[in-house]
Amino acid sequence: MNLWGGRFTGKTDEFFAYYNASFRFDRRLLQADLMACAVHAQGLGRAGVLQSSEVDTMVKGLRQIAIKYADSASLNDPKFFSAEDVHSFIEARLVESIGQTGYKLHTGRSRNDQVAVATRIFLRSEIDALDLLFRDVQVALIELAERYPNEALPGYTHLQKAQPILFAHFLMAYFQMLQRDRERLREVRKRVNVMPLGSGALAGTNFPVDREWMAEQLGFADVTHNSLDGVSDRDYQLEFVNVAAMTMMHLSRLAEDFILYASQEFGFIKLGDAISTGSSLMPQKKNPDSLELIRGKAARIFGHAVAFLTMIKGLPLAYNKDLQEDKEALFDTIDSLAGSLKVTATVLRNIEFNAARAAKAAISDYTNATDLADYLVRKGMEFRKAHDAIGKIVVYAIARGLELQQLSLAEYKQFTPLFEQDLFDAISLEACLTGKNTTGGTAPEQVQREIKRAKELLNA
Ligand code: ARG
């Protein structure tokens, strides 16, 4: 029986019943909902609405349901899919198990505050699990950076070679991005961790439940302070999905960098067999599908972020059934983000860096031109004039098919007498790297310092 039959004389259209039902996906909230149900029952007991024996029976019954369906696969049985949603499923199982007393559980409560509290409990624990997955990617970044502490890589702007950097520096850039995403996620958790139970359908409840006590039992830091808001906003989910979107954007950039670097044209990294796939036709192929899927899944999450905004923007207060659409988007966001974090960590642990090739690329195509301009500045020339002079030298070198380090001192002297033999030391790969020795720069000393700081952050 459904939860609202009394007012109806006609039957629900069969396909509409299916369309309306959410158990086939919201069963994922079962354990979270059961937790809230037990505390609600206790809250009713404390308010004198239920006798303590009734509360005991209910709590025991709810615990049995939790145990019986602890393996979520047990909910896959299509016979359950006639349940309208996870909330009616719980009431039906409770009545089966403890009899008529089960029908008292919904006293002073609506599915509107019930679903809001269950999604918050659920999301809170998912955020905690995700936090560990974030951390593991950060650990994998540090591990890889430490495997290649002094190895160079060309740095790019506009995907044009710019200046030499350390491969470790490149990796640690992603550490920083993920650190901020992780902080944002923790920030979201604070706003998820607020309890709407006791908001009723929209106006509050006639029964004097101690909401603060219930919140404490469920580990919430606060209660919602407006019942309309408590049942009808989903900004705590929207915020989460947006942090997920931002994280996926970062993972997608990392994926894109690695896809490029693994291509024959760049050839800076080799992807291990564990994270690559082959072609059904071309026997020689090894494709970076792991990374391409991360890049692809980012698009899905961006879609969910827009879906959330659009779903809520036109809803008159308070609850509207549109809000049932939050779940599949939320679950898919969690799963896609968790999966992408896991695969990213695995990719990082299955990469070989071609240090020789990357170093050669890092110090060719005039990536040391800026260092040569800085050399002239140290010899007393104004930077703008030095920039111009080196620009002309680059044109001269290109015409002869030579790198800056291959020109002779005599050739340099034609441009300005400020050049001395020491210019060659100033534009070596090593000098280009060690020179960038301010906080956050690519000098090995600075990168080591930041790796150390990163480890401290992870262990804090
Ligand atoms: N399945 C519903 C949802 O996810 C639960 C709340 C239903 N409330 C209602 N008044 N129909 O939003």
Side-chain angles (χ1 to χ4, degrees), residues 124-136:
R124 189 177 62 186
S125 73
E126 294 292 328
I127 286 175
D128 293 342
L130 283 165
D131 186 66
L132 295 176
L133 295 178
F134 267 92
R135 186 181 191 281
D136 192 46

Side-chain angles (χ1 to χ4, degrees), residues 72-240:
S72 57
S74 62
L75 295 168
N76 288 349
D77 195 333
K79 79 167 184 268
F80 295 143
F81 290 13
S82 60
E84 185 181 335
D85 53 27
V86 66
H87 321 298
S88 39
F89 175 85
I90 290 174
E91 187 173 299
R93 299 291 85 74
L94 187 64
V95 171
E96 257 170 32
S97 136
I98 68 168
Q100 300 290 309
T101 308
Y103 286 131
K104 293 191 178 181
L105 176 62
H106 211 54
T107 311
R109 182 178 78 170
S110 156
R111 278 181 295 170
N112 299 350
D113 54 349
Q114 188 179 356
V115 72
V117 74
T119 47
R120 283 173 185 267
I121 292 171
F122 168 81
L123 181 54
R124 189 177 62 186
S125 73
E126 294 292 328
I127 286 175
D128 293 342
L130 283 165
D131 186 66
L132 295 176
L133 295 178
F134 267 92
R135 186 181 191 281
D136 192 46
V137 177
Q138 292 180 303
V139 168
L141 283 165
I142 292 177
E143 283 167 7
L144 191 56
E146 290 196 311
R147 259 174 71 197
Y148 301 104
N150 297 306
E151 282 77 350
L153 177 79
Y156 297 84
T157 64
H158 314 266
L159 199 56
Q160 301 284 318
K161 271 195 204 172
Q163 291 187 301
I165 56 173
L166 287 185
F167 182 50
H169 193 53
F170 161 88
L171 293 168
M172 292 307 287
Y174 284 102
F175 178 97
Q176 296 291 337
M177 297 176 222
L178 290 176
Q179 181 61 25
R180 289 192 297 278
D181 292 332
R182 221 176 146 195
E183 284 165 14
R184 277 185 273 267
L185 192 62
R186 289 176 182 175
E187 192 52 39
V188 172
R189 191 192 191 281
K190 292 186 200 160
R191 282 180 287 279
V192 171
N193 199 25
V194 178
M195 189 197 75
L197 189 60
S199 298
L202 76 163
T205 168
N206 283 322
F207 300 98
V209 285
D210 183 345
R211 296 189 64 214
E212 284 73 14
W213 180 86
M214 294 197 295
E216 215 181 294
Q217 299 308 301
L218 290 169
F220 285 107
D222 198 1
V223 297
T224 52
H225 288 272
N226 181 294
S227 58
L228 298 169
D229 176 47
V231 294
S232 72
D233 207 345
R234 295 291 181 266
D235 59 0
Y236 62 97
Q237 293 187 42
L238 174 60
E239 219 182 323
F240 167 77

Side-chain angles (χ1 to χ4, degrees), residues 11 27 48 81 115 140 208 225 284 410 426 436 458:
K11 258 179 72 84
R27 59 200 154 105
F81 290 13
V115 72
H225 288 272
Q284 87 285 9
K436 312 293 181 303
L458 289 191

Side-chain angles (χ1 to χ4, degrees), residues 19 25 308 311 321-330:
Y19 183 81
F25 47 86
F308 261 94
M311 172 178 69
K321 191 64 170 260
D322 314 44
L323 293 174
Q324 180 165 288
E325 287 296 308
D326 64 353
K327 287 172 206 63
E328 286 162 294
L330 178 68

